[in-house]
Amino acid sequence: MAIKIKEFINRLKEYNTTWKTEPRSGQLHSISVLFDTPDQIIEAAKATANAGYKKFDVFTPYPVHGMDEAMKMKESKIGWIALLAGITGAITALLMIGWMGGIDYKNIIGGKPFFALPGSIPITFELTVLFSALVTTAAMVALFNKLPWTSNPLHETPFMKSVTSDKFGLVIEAADKHFDERNVENFLGQLHGHSIEKVYYPIPDVGKTKTPVFDLKFMGVIAVTAILTAIASYAVLNKVLYTQPFNWMWEQPRLNPQAQSNFFGDGFGMRMPVEGTVARGFIPYEYKGMPDSVIKLLANPLALTEEVIQRGKVKFDIFCSPCHGYYGQGDGRLKGQFPNPPTLHSEKVRNWQDGNIYNVITNGQNVMPAYDKSVAREDRWAIIHYIRVLQRSQNAKDTDLEGK
Amino acid sequence: MEYIKKALPDKFAKTGWILLVLGIIILAAAFAVDSRRAFFDYLWIYMFMISIGVGALALVALEYLVGATWSTPFRRIDEFLAAIIMLLVLMVIPLFFGIHDLYHWSHNEIVSGDAILQSKSPYLNMNFFTIRTIFCLVVWLFFFFMMIRNSEKQDLTGDPRLTKRNNIFGTAFAPLFVITLTITAIDWMMSLEPHWFSTMYGIYYFSGTMVAAFSVTTLFAVRLKEGHYLDPKINNEHYYSLGAMMFAFNTFWGYIAFSQYLLIWYADLPEENFWLLMRWEGSWKFVSIALIFIHFVIPFLVLVGRSQKTNPRILKIMAIWLLFAHALDLYWLIMPTYNNAGAPLGWQELAFPFLVTGITMVVFNLRASKRNLVPVRDPKLESGLNFHL
């Protein structure tokens, strides 16, 4: 492992030194010229643009006003890219919020509509900014800095050293349509500049098909940056922000459930709900312990459909069949372990109203426990429908064969 | 630097006076017909004139505070418009006669039967209200006289120390401007509904004021440049900066207005939401919706591009547009208290455009007739004219 790292560092060092003193090939990249004042470079840029050259560039140590016009540069397209990305971001945000809140996961929050524009605006705004910022940066790097190329033949030349300190430079590239070595040299000579030089491609760049993005050094820098950023983010978000004094409102005056409190006279922290309070979604059963005559008034609220009967069968098979048996004959799988329940096909049960059966399921009878906690209200009524089907199947009359 | 003063045409002054007189006649007639409505209209006019006058003074102060040079060639526009402050002292007097028509917290018998108004009465009472109004006017007047005097003296002496002195005044005025404007907004507009409150109300009016101030500056700058009253060196980059400021503060207004709306909408508390619900009654609904588009959406889309901000014609139209938007905004803030059922729009409201344009033109003309339109010996003028982005 250690040897490998050493090898890697050596290769980096080697690469670094060769890069700095890289030999130049015979392939011409451009011809450069230097000027001493900003006025001269403006004039030179105007003359070059007027001469019809398109692929030329100007380098100055600081921004020179009026350069865009002098070079006849078109207005940058970056604004349109930012606009398109921003619109994409806004539409993405609205579709996302609309789908999540309005379609996929409807949740009532503060009594607001599932999808409401006012509440969505902040996220829409943020995604608009985020999209346009990221895309603009990426577009700038990719289009204008010509990724994946990370270097330029002008780097590491005397020309670049001059224009980054106190000189103003102009470069006409060999890739230009009107480029002719002698003509360009003559033309640059007329501009009252000095140090006209030919810039050649460095040898590593000639005929290179692999982009420098895959260079070890480049990848190494990217990898190290990514790792450092990850570590720093982790440390800040998970460690630094959770040290005092950031307590994120963990510490605040509050009352834990079941805890004592001196706020109320009786010393209890929790309060009894107001009499008659009903929990959400709960409908009280008012007929408990009441005579049969009242319970008879309870009618089955479910329509008699195949779906309901199927549901009743499922629930009956789960909850009732262990004792009553799959056909309600009192021959369940637990036979012998408990007193056997009576058959559901007796005269008595057949003549019961739905309300009576409902009462027995809800509150239990004799050995049978109450099922109000384990079987939902609607399911109980479905089970009753199914019991009626069973009863009729076991006590079919001749007339049943004729009808449908 | 050579500057030859060119006088404004007589037509300008004449139009201004005609509009002013017509406005006064309409307002007087409105007062005779329905004094309560006339007071609301007049309050609307008064608040708009504060936006223009005090906003213009704030721009002068802002230039000194941040040491801007690009705005120096047209700083005089704001200095002339700031003279409206002198008129505000006169304009506020009739309003005091309408206090009982405008503000129901001013009635003792109503306050005594209202627990909320009683607990607000240490702030909302006639004496303190008057003191605050006078305080604001005195602050504005003081800084108006000091800064404008220094600036005009410089035309004669060219003393760079006057700029330094104004830097101090500008710096001192910046926080005072915000405080006095907030007090004014709360006292004269928010207390129309004394049960209601919004902690963003001050900055809401501030953002609208800045939009109006930049719009009126842009309008005068473009018109004066077209008439060759200003230096020919003023170019697209000056226009771009004016347009950018207009755009920026209008977007800021949208941001503040939406934030205020969002907070009320989210909490949906009856003590807060009734103010917005009032603006959703009858035809107010359309005013509310129109305000979003006129004050934010359309100006945003028009001014967002670079080429529009450098086009003097579009700038001129957008300046007028935004001034109209600010007027609509103030109408939307003030008038629902007068008539909650629907937006009152009749011949009485015509007093607003006549008086507002009349006062602005007359004051500008009176100031411009004796003064240079350009701060000729300001040390920042040269770099302001050669301004490049």
Side-chain angles (χ1 to χ4, degrees):
Chain A
M1 186 68 195
I3 300 164
K4 270 192 176 174
I5 293 172
K6 221 174 177 182
E7 210 174 285
F8 177 74
I9 292 170
N10 279 340
R11 274 184 71 180
L12 275 184
K13 272 184 187 165
E14 199 182 308
Y15 183 85
N16 218 11
T17 45
T18 52
W19 188 63
K20 280 226 166 109
T21 58
E22 57 193 349
R24 299 275 165 165
S25 68
Q27 193 185 334
L28 190 65
H29 169 263
S30 54
I31 301 179
S32 68
V33 63
L34 290 175
F35 298 92
D36 290 330
T37 67
D39 291 339
Q40 280 177 341
I41 192 78
I42 289 263
E43 288 308 314
K46 272 184 197 161
T48 313
N50 287 335
Y53 293 108
K54 293 266 183 276
K55 293 210 164 173
F56 73 102
D57 212 346
V58 167
F59 297 84
T60 57
Y62 55 83
V64 174
H65 290 303
M67 185 54 85
D68 289 13
E69 289 152 48
M71 290 174 73
K72 291 193 176 163
M73 275 169 74
K74 283 184 201 142
E75 207 172 302
S76 169
K77 294 274 171 291
I78 201 81
W80 291 103
I81 294 173
L83 179 71
L84 275 180
I87 292 171
T88 312
I91 293 171
T92 308
L94 287 175
L95 286 178
M96 181 184 80
I97 302 165
W99 182 74
M100 291 194 306
I103 296 166
D104 186 48
Y105 198 76
K106 289 183 182 176
N107 228 342
I108 298 173
I109 300 166
K112 296 285 181 278
F114 294 122
F115 174 71
L117 194 59
S120 314
I121 294 277
I123 302 295
T124 310
F125 172 72
E126 277 153 23
L127 277 203
T128 307
V129 173
L130 183 74
F131 270 53
S132 59
L134 290 181
V135 172
T136 309
T137 312
M140 239 165 64
V141 173
L143 296 178
F144 300 100
N145 295 355
K146 301 208 166 54
L147 262 190
W149 300 103
T150 55
S151 182
N152 188 298
L154 288 170
H155 289 172
E156 305 303 326
T157 57
F159 170 79
M160 193 47 79
K161 287 201 178 81
S162 306
V163 297
T164 47
S165 55
D166 61 346
K167 293 281 186 282
F168 303 82
L170 188 143
V171 161
I172 299 181
E173 286 179 24
D176 193 280
K177 253 195 293 182
H178 305 292
F179 188 85
D180 177 87
E181 217 175 308
R182 200 163 296 162
N183 283 354
V184 168
E185 269 185 301
N186 286 340
F187 172 73
L188 292 180
Q190 291 160 9
L191 292 176
H192 311 294
H194 56 84
S195 318
I196 298 174
E197 268 174 43
K198 289 177 186 166
V199 180
Y200 293 98
Y201 278 98
I203 281 176
D205 279 7
V206 175
K208 207 174 191 181
T209 48
K210 230 164 82 178
T211 67
V213 166
F214 301 107
D215 279 345
L216 269 180
K217 187 183 172 187
F218 185 77
M219 296 298 275
V221 169
I222 297 277
V224 168
T225 312
I227 291 166
L228 285 182
T229 314
I231 292 171
S233 314
Y234 176 81
V236 170
L237 293 177
N238 291 302
K239 301 290 170 210
V240 177
L241 282 181
Y242 287 93
T243 48
Q244 291 294 339
F246 306 111
N247 66 23
W248 301 108
M249 294 167 89
W250 294 319
E251 288 153 28
Q252 51 181 310
R254 65 151 187 253
L255 194 59
N256 291 323
Q258 315 284 353
Q260 193 188 338
S261 163
N262 293 326
F263 185 77
F264 295 105
D266 58 6
F268 289 104
M270 292 169 83
R271 299 282 91 195
M272 289 301 286
V274 178
E275 208 174 314
T277 304
V278 175
R280 248 185 111 133
F282 174 79
I283 307 165
Y285 180 66
E286 298 165 12
Y287 305 104
K288 196 168 182 173
M290 287 200 179
D292 284 1
S293 56
V294 179
I295 294 159
K296 273 177 192 159
L297 295 172
L298 267 175
N300 197 328
L302 298 186
L304 193 62
T305 63
E306 197 183 331
E307 208 181 319
V308 168
I309 292 171
Q310 284 296 341
R311 182 162 187 80
K313 177 175 166 25
V314 169
K315 294 292 170 181
F316 183 89
D317 288 353
I318 293 169
F319 292 101
C320 313
S321 72
C323 296
H324 288 283
Y326 285 113
Y327 301 104
Q329 284 160 330
D331 55 349
R333 301 188 291 285
L334 297 174
K335 207 169 179 180
Q337 297 180 41
F338 287 99
N340 287 346
T343 170
L344 297 177
H345 303 298
S346 65
E347 193 74 25
K348 184 182 130 192
V349 181
R350 272 192 290 151
N351 288 335
W352 266 0
Q353 298 287 318
D354 284 358
N356 289 86
I357 305 178
Y358 185 81
N359 183 45
V360 171
I361 301 175
T362 308
N363 301 318
Q365 195 181 43
N366 303 331
V367 183
M368 177 172 161
Y371 278 85
D372 56 343
K373 300 284 191 298
S374 43
V375 185
R377 195 175 288 261
E378 302 238 309
D379 289 343
R380 277 175 249 159
W381 289 113
I383 286 170
I384 292 165
H385 272 319
Y386 181 63
I387 290 172
R388 294 302 187 203
V389 170
L390 286 179
Q391 285 173 343
R392 194 163 172 194
S393 73
Q394 300 295 310
N395 301 283
K397 296 184 190 89
D398 289 346
T399 47
D400 288 342
L401 295 170
E402 289 158 15
K404 282 179 183 173
Chain B
M1 135 139 266
E2 205 67 21
Y3 170 74
I4 299 145
K5 202 193 158 199
K6 196 175 154 190
L8 290 174
D10 289 342
K11 217 174 77 184
F12 182 78
K14 234 181 257 171
T15 318
W17 279 110
I18 290 169
L19 287 171
L20 179 63
V21 170
L22 273 175
I24 291 171
I25 292 170
I26 295 172
L27 194 65
F31 189 79
V33 174
D34 180 353
S35 64
R36 184 159 177 264
R37 182 170 182 168
F39 275 126
F40 274 91
D41 282 337
Y42 187 62
L43 178 65
W44 180 27
I45 294 165
Y46 176 70
M47 293 311 294
F48 193 85
M49 290 330 289
I50 288 181
S51 292
I52 302 288
V54 184
L57 186 63
L59 295 194
V60 176
L62 201 60
E63 187 196 304
Y64 284 115
L65 167 60
V66 301
T69 55
W70 67 272
S71 58
T72 310
F74 26 79
R75 192 184 68 227
R76 275 291 143 84
I77 295 170
D78 287 322
E79 289 182 11
F80 294 165
L81 289 173
I84 290 170
I85 290 169
M86 290 194 287
L87 203 63
L88 288 177
V89 180
L90 290 177
M91 282 181 74
V92 77
I93 294 166
L95 271 179
F96 273 96
F97 292 99
I99 290 279
H100 290 303
D101 281 324
L102 291 166
Y103 307 101
H104 71 256
W105 55 261
S106 64
H107 296 268
N108 285 333
E109 66 278 10
I110 291 175
V111 173
S112 61
D114 192 322
I116 291 175
L117 290 190
Q118 255 171 5
S119 56
K120 286 190 180 182
S121 62
Y123 184 85
L124 277 183
N125 61 66
M126 270 319 295
N127 292 337
F128 196 24
F129 182 86
T130 315
I131 291 168
R132 287 194 304 268
T133 304
I134 292 170
F135 166 74
C136 292
L137 285 167
V138 166
V139 168
W140 298 336
L141 273 178
F142 173 75
F143 283 96
F144 166 72
F145 280 123
M146 296 316 279
M147 279 197 281
I148 272 61
R149 199 192 58 174
N150 283 342
S151 173
E152 281 167 4
K153 210 194 267 177
Q154 205 169 40
D155 275 12
L156 305 172
T157 63
D159 188 354
R161 275 179 307 176
L162 291 168
T163 301
K164 284 210 164 152
R165 224 170 282 164
N166 261 3
N167 288 348
I168 294 167
F169 281 118
T171 311
F173 183 61
L176 281 170
F177 163 67
V178 177
I179 291 166
T180 50
L181 209 70
T182 305
I183 291 174
T184 309
I186 290 172
D187 282 3
W188 286 99
M189 288 199 298
M190 197 169 102
S191 81
L192 287 166
E193 292 297 334
H195 285 149
W196 184 78
F197 62 93
S198 162
T199 48
M200 300 185 81
Y201 201 87
I203 200 164
Y204 181 87
Y205 178 58
F206 163 81
S207 59
T209 297
M210 293 307 275
V211 173
F214 273 113
S215 301
V216 77
T217 311
T218 308
L219 180 61
F220 272 98
V222 175
R223 283 294 291 134
L224 289 173
K225 175 74 198 323
E226 279 174 353
H228 307 289
Y229 295 94
L230 296 179
D231 198 286
K233 270 189 176 172
I234 290 175
N235 56 25
N236 277 354
E237 311 211 349
H238 292 95
Y239 285 153
Y240 175 82
S241 303
L242 281 172
M245 294 310 283
M246 230 158 59
F247 174 74
F249 271 98
N250 194 54
T251 310
F252 179 62
W253 177 90
Y255 167 70
I256 293 297
F258 176 73
S259 302
Q260 178 171 288
Y261 171 79
L262 183 71
L263 291 182
I264 296 172
W265 176 84
Y266 241 124
D268 207 12
L269 298 172
E271 70 210 61
E272 288 173 352
N273 66 12
F274 79 92
W275 189 84
L276 282 173
L277 292 173
M278 274 171 76
R279 281 147 183 82
W280 207 248
E281 293 279 329
S283 52
W284 280 117
K285 190 174 180 173
F286 303 108
V287 179
S288 300
I289 294 169
L291 191 64
I292 300 171
F293 286 91
I294 291 176
H295 207 320
F296 178 68
V297 177
I298 294 170
F300 182 87
L301 293 177
V302 172
L303 283 173
V304 74
R306 187 192 163 87
S307 55
Q308 291 94 310
K309 284 194 276 256
T310 50
N311 182 335
R313 260 194 68 189
I314 292 181
L315 272 188
K316 209 163 58 181
I317 294 167
M318 284 327 287
I320 296 170
W321 180 287
L322 284 174
L323 285 169
F324 171 75
H326 183 56
L328 185 71
D329 185 22
L330 291 179
Y331 179 79
W332 183 79
L333 289 175
I334 293 169
M335 297 306 267
T337 306
Y338 166 71
N339 184 357
N340 188 22
L345 199 61
W347 59 268
Q348 289 101 323
E349 276 66 42
L350 272 181
F352 181 87
F354 280 110
L355 265 178
V356 162
T357 44
I359 291 172
T360 311
M361 285 167 88
V362 165
V363 170
F364 190 88
N365 185 63
L366 284 175
R367 300 293 289 182
S369 59
K370 286 176 196 156
R371 290 164 180 82
N372 293 329
L373 265 167
V374 178
V376 278
R377 294 181 73 181
D378 192 303
K380 292 191 293 181
L381 184 65
E382 192 59 39
S383 82
L385 287 171
N386 294 322
F387 166 70
H388 283 289
L389 274 174

